[in-house]
Each structure stands twice: as C-alpha cells, then as structure tokens.
Amino acid sequence: LEVLGDGAFSNCTGITFVNTSNSKITTLSKNVFSGCTALEKVIAKSSTTAEIFAFKGCENLKDSKTNKYNVFDVDGNYIDYSPDVYGDN
C-alpha cells in the first residue's frame, strides 16, 4: 500500500496518533484524515506528500504554543505542508 485513499479515515474521531514512517505509504490523499477531531500527532517520512484537506478539521493536531501542526518526520522535524492541507486556505 503506497497511497492512503481519499477520505479513508475521515471522521474517525477515535484516532489520536498516526505513524506511517515504517510503511511504504508515499501519499496521504485528500480528506484522508479530515474530521479526525482527536488526532494529535502524525509521524511520516519527510518525502510523504499530502493532498488538499488531508487534515481538515483536525483541530487537536495544531499546537497552541507553537501554532504549528504536529506533523513530524522520523527525526522529529516538522513537515511543513501547505495551508490547504489543513483547510487553512
């Protein structure tokens, strides 16, 4: 599996953590985690792409102290996706 398809986990309100770093996943499709209101942290390879609205409505993913989204690579560095990935456009 290389692509998590459109809306695959949308509105799954029980998901709090996602780690795709040890998988073959290269793409997080649009709306894949949209509406996952409990999602707090994501770890992915730095080369993983995320499509529009992949994390839309994931209000717990944003760190109120840093004002950044808690999406990291395997080394703990922030992955800076464009604002439309988070629905911040």
Side-chain angles (χ1 to χ4, degrees):
L1 180 68
E2 293 181 5
V3 175
L4 286 181
D6 294 359
F9 297 98
S10 65
N11 298 310
C12 291
T13 57
I15 296 175
T16 59
F17 175 72
V18 173
N19 184 345
T20 63
S21 65
N22 291 323
S23 71
K24 294 182 180 183
I25 293 170
T26 59
T27 304
L28 304 174
S29 296
K30 65 181 180 179
N31 295 306
V32 68
F33 294 109
S34 65
C36 294
T37 54
L39 186 58
E40 296 176 352
K41 186 175 183 180
V42 175
I43 298 175
K45 294 176 191 149
S46 58
S47 59
T48 301
T49 59
E51 296 179 354
I52 190 168
F53 302 145
F55 300 109
K56 183 178 181 180
C58 299
E59 62 254 10
N60 284 320
L61 195 56
K62 192 168 194 175
D63 187 323
S64 60
K65 293 176 186 163
T66 63
N67 206 33
K68 290 187 174 191
Y69 288 91
N70 292 322
V71 180
F72 302 98
D73 66 16
V74 293
D75 295 321
N77 301 306
Y78 283 100
I79 298 176
D80 289 324
Y81 290 124
S82 65
D84 63 347
V85 168
Y86 305 101
D88 288 349
N89 50 358

